[in-house]
Amino acid sequence: MRKIIKGILVILILMCIGYVQPVFASDQNLDDYIYNHLKNWDTEFEIPYYNDDVIDVVKNIAKKDDYLSRSISQLCYKKEENKATLIVAYRTTKEQEEYIDEELKKVINSIITPNMNDFDKVKTINKYLVDRYEYDYELQSNNVYSALTTGKTTCQGYAMSAYKMLNLAGIENRIVIGTLSGTPHGWNLVKVGGKWYQLDVTNDDAVGIDKYFLKSDDYLKKDGFSWNSSDYPKCDSNYQEILQSNKVNESANNVTSKEDYYLNNNGQRIYTYRSSVDGNWCLVNGFWYFLKNDGDYAIGWKLIDNNWYYLSDNGIMQTGWIYSDSKWYYCYPATGAMATNTSINGDIVDTNGTWIA
């Protein structure tokens, strides 16, 4: 009788174990099981895997989603015979993630319109984040929730916010983890027109809205960026909306009126405005360029129709406060012309446009 009772107990125990312990037909099913728990922001769950590399296995599964991977702050596990109990700490709570999703959906619905192409969407999202956030020099805000609620964040908050917003806008993108001048840094890769480009919203906010906007790998490397390139798609060129190898499409010569447009090689309409000097102003997807008659675009400071303008390394006209040659200048947002001998919200610029007080 005792043997019968003992046998029944063993069977019941095995049945209980079989009931609570999931059975997987393949490694992929196990991966999906773990991934779904992580995506649900579950902080503790069992897995039928107990090898010593369990943490590395879970980290690799989390890498399926760059945002998820960067959201996990700590992983540990308890080993119990033929299973492990995972304990996960996240940078945010599940409730905070729900707030993030709801808030960013509202933002995307308000700033992204149906007629925008991918370039317009990326440009709009980049500008939105630059306008909304400022860098947290105390290094306390390192996630999207704190960024949205305080208006301050580090590179991680910028990159993770961009990742979420770009995904919501239908733009394929990645979060890159690397260094800048030896300091840990994070930024994004974005896919526009079938090609990948670098996008660093953090430094677009710090030094100029297009400084690291849709750039190549080489462009970033020259400025001290470093990352494991084998982990990410290659970005082999800067995005140039109106240029072919730094030359304007020859059809630009067909512009005959003061305000006109032409079609570039991609069939895009390029609006132009003829100046009295050696070239034309061109408006492309919301950015102004000054194209010289020799086919090159102007960069740096240029005197045009008795006003000074500042054009970045990729030819885009800059506005607002500009730091150049160790001095500050201000270019009016409405026109791009440099301010001289006036006061900008209490800040005085002299007759040369230099900020003095």
Side-chain angles (χ1 to χ4, degrees):
M1 185 66 178
R2 289 181 178 177
K3 290 183 178 180
I4 294 174
I5 294 173
K6 184 177 180 180
I8 292 173
L9 288 173
V10 170
I11 292 171
L12 288 172
I13 291 170
L14 291 174
M15 287 176 65
C16 290
I17 293 173
Y19 178 75
V20 299
Q21 188 68 39
V23 178
F24 300 98
S26 66
D27 289 342
Q28 183 59 51
N29 290 339
L30 175 59
D31 287 0
D32 291 343
Y33 171 79
I34 294 173
Y35 180 74
N36 289 335
H37 271 293
L38 296 174
K39 284 288 286 184
N40 196 46
W41 253 243
D42 292 335
T43 57
E44 186 171 330
F45 56 94
E46 293 181 357
I47 59 172
Y49 187 89
Y50 49 89
N51 292 347
D52 291 337
D53 65 343
V54 61
I55 296 298
D56 291 333
V57 168
V58 174
K59 285 182 177 179
N60 285 331
I61 292 171
K63 286 181 180 179
K64 291 165 60 176
D65 183 327
D66 288 343
Y67 183 90
L68 173 62
S69 181
R70 299 308 304 163
S71 295
I72 296 173
S73 60
Q74 189 174 11
L75 273 174
C76 59
Y77 72 100
K78 295 182 293 186
K79 188 175 179 180
E80 303 173 23
E81 296 183 355
N82 64 340
K83 64 181 179 180
T85 299
L86 272 177
I87 302 170
V88 189
Y90 302 89
R91 299 184 188 279
T92 51
T93 66
K94 188 174 182 178
E95 291 72 25
Q96 288 172 340
E97 284 300 311
E98 290 172 353
Y99 169 84
I100 291 168
D101 289 341
E102 183 178 349
E103 176 68 12
L104 292 185
K105 284 177 183 176
K106 290 179 182 177
V107 171
I108 289 297
N109 289 336
S110 67
I111 66 174
I112 301 298
T113 60
N115 63 331
M116 286 184 175
N117 59 25
D118 288 351
F119 176 88
D120 294 330
K121 292 176 182 178
V122 177
K123 181 189 72 172
T124 300
I125 290 170
N126 181 65
K127 184 178 186 305
Y128 177 85
L129 292 173
V130 166
D131 290 343
R132 178 159 182 171
Y133 294 165
E134 61 181 81
Y135 193 79
D136 177 19
Y137 289 97
E138 295 181 356
L139 307 180
Q140 298 299 311
S141 175
N142 63 358
N143 61 72
V144 180
Y145 180 80
S146 59
L148 290 173
T149 54
T150 68
K152 294 183 178 182
T153 191
T154 58
C155 62
Q156 183 151 266
Y158 280 100
M160 293 176 73
S161 295
Y163 181 88
K164 278 272 192 183
M165 294 180 71
L166 289 164
N167 275 346
L168 287 170
I171 304 296
E172 188 176 354
N173 75 104
R174 297 287 309 276
I175 297 175
V176 184
I177 302 303
T179 62
L180 175 55
S181 301
T183 301
H185 187 52
W187 63 96
N188 299 88
L189 294 180
V190 294
K191 196 172 187 179
V192 178
K195 295 187 65 176
W196 286 95
Y197 300 93
Q198 300 277 3
L199 171 66
D200 184 1
V201 184
T202 306
N203 282 298
D204 280 349
D205 195 2
V207 298
I209 197 168
D210 71 312
K211 174 68 174 177
Y212 298 105
F213 180 78
L214 303 187
K215 299 298 185 181
S216 68
D217 291 345
D218 289 343
Y219 185 95
L220 265 66
K221 288 176 181 177
K222 288 178 181 177
D223 277 6
F225 288 75
S226 179
W227 65 97
N228 187 351
S229 56
S230 63
D231 289 342
Y232 304 98
K234 182 175 176 58
C235 306
D236 54 15
S237 63
N238 296 331
Y239 185 90
Q240 297 293 352
E241 184 70 16
I242 58 175
L243 304 174
Q244 298 288 335
S245 301
N246 292 342
K247 293 293 182 181
V248 182
N249 186 297
E250 291 181 359
S251 59
N253 295 326
N254 296 327
V255 178
T256 56
S257 64
K258 187 173 183 179
E259 293 186 43
D260 209 334
Y261 68 87
Y262 64 91
L263 301 179
N264 69 4
N265 285 341
N266 297 320
Q268 294 167 313
R269 181 175 290 191
I270 309 302
Y271 288 92
T272 66
Y273 176 85
R274 284 196 180 280
S275 171
S276 60
V277 295
D278 61 338
N280 305 315
W281 282 108
C282 288
L283 178 63
V284 183
N285 285 329
F287 289 136
W288 282 103
Y289 299 78
F290 189 81
L291 304 178
K292 298 184 293 184
N293 290 335
D294 63 5
D296 283 330
Y297 60 96
I299 62 173
W301 288 105
K302 187 168 182 63
L303 183 63
I304 303 171
D305 295 339
N306 299 318
N307 287 304
W308 282 100
Y309 298 85
Y310 187 79
L311 302 114
S312 64
D313 290 343
N314 63 356
I316 297 176
M317 183 186 76
Q318 302 296 291
T319 62
W321 286 104
I322 294 168
Y323 191 67
S324 174
D325 295 329
S326 302
K327 297 177 182 178
W328 284 100
Y329 301 86
Y330 186 82
C331 291
Y332 292 110
T335 64
M338 184 183 73
T340 59
N341 197 28
T342 188
S343 174
I344 310 296
N345 295 325
D347 293 305
I348 300 173
V349 293
D350 63 18
T351 55
N352 295 317
T354 306
W355 173 75
I356 56 176

